[in-house]
């Protein structure tokens, strides 16, 4: 099977009161063998965009080394719902035009404010737009 390196670059610059602040980071994720990319219109009801299982299928991956999710809407935010093994769930607000990155599928969710316990695997990612349908784009890869 062919392999490739994935390169992700994030760069931010702001000039405030005549002073420029900037930060840039390029990350290379090596030996990627599987890539999934989709652009879809999502409504105001939760829609599965990515799942994980033992066998790969359409929209279902066996692992995750990189994910970039883009909210292409110009006014509407979307909620990213991330479910982990064991039933815990996390929610992230992705504002219009914003980007969300993951570099693995490990997450610990704690609702009591207790100390870190253990990472669990993300097993599903859903998107819900707030007030009207919007477009998202997703690029995921693993090796």
């Amino acid at each position: 099977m062919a392999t490739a390196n994935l390169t992700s670059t994030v760069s931010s610059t702001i000039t405030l009161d005549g002073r420029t602040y900037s930060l840039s980071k390029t990350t290379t994720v090596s030996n990627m063998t599987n890539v999934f990319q989709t652009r879809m219109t999502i409504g105001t009801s939760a829609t599965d965009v990515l799942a994980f299982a033992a066998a790969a299928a359409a929209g279902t991956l066996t692992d995750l080394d990189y994910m970039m999710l883009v909210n292409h809407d110009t006014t509407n935010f979307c909620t990213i719902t991330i479910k982990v093994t064991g039933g815990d769930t996390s929610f992230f607000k992705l504002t219009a035009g914003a980007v969300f990155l993951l570099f693995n599928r490990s997450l610990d969710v704690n609702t009591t404010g207790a100390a870190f316990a253990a990472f669990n695997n993300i097993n599903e990612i859903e998107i819900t737009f707030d007030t009207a349908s919007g477009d998202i784009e997703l690029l995921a890869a693993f090796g």
Side-chain angles (χ1 to χ4, degrees), residues 3-142:
T3 65
N5 293 338
L6 180 147
T7 303
S8 177
T9 302
V10 177
S11 181
S12 301
T13 303
I14 183 173
T15 301
L16 182 63
D17 291 332
R19 182 171 176 195
T20 300
Y21 303 84
S22 66
L23 180 63
S24 183
K25 173 66 174 152
T26 298
T27 301
T28 300
V29 185
S30 302
N31 301 316
M32 297 296 94
T33 56
N34 296 276
V35 177
F36 173 74
Q37 183 171 9
T38 188
R39 183 173 178 143
M40 52 198 316
T41 300
I42 306 288
T44 57
S45 297
T47 302
D48 293 342
V49 295
L50 202 56
F52 300 92
T60 301
L61 308 179
T62 59
D63 205 355
L64 183 70
D65 292 313
Y66 177 83
M67 184 192 81
M68 179 177 178
L69 178 68
V70 179
N71 177 354
H72 284 292
D73 200 88
T74 57
T75 57
N76 202 7
F77 76 84
C78 65
T79 301
I80 303 169
T81 303
I82 298 180
K83 299 178 180 181
V84 299
T85 305
D88 290 328
T89 304
S90 292
F91 301 93
F92 297 90
K93 181 178 182 178
L94 187 62
T95 56
V99 175
F100 184 82
L101 294 172
L102 287 175
F103 286 90
N104 59 63
R105 62 182 279 221
S106 298
L107 180 67
D108 179 36
V109 179
N110 189 307
T111 60
T112 65
F116 169 79
F119 286 114
N120 291 298
N121 282 329
I122 295 169
N123 59 19
E124 185 179 350
I125 299 175
E126 296 175 343
I127 302 294
T128 309
F129 270 87
D130 183 45
T131 58
S133 295
D135 287 351
I136 60 105
E137 191 166 8
L138 173 75
L139 174 67
F142 65 98

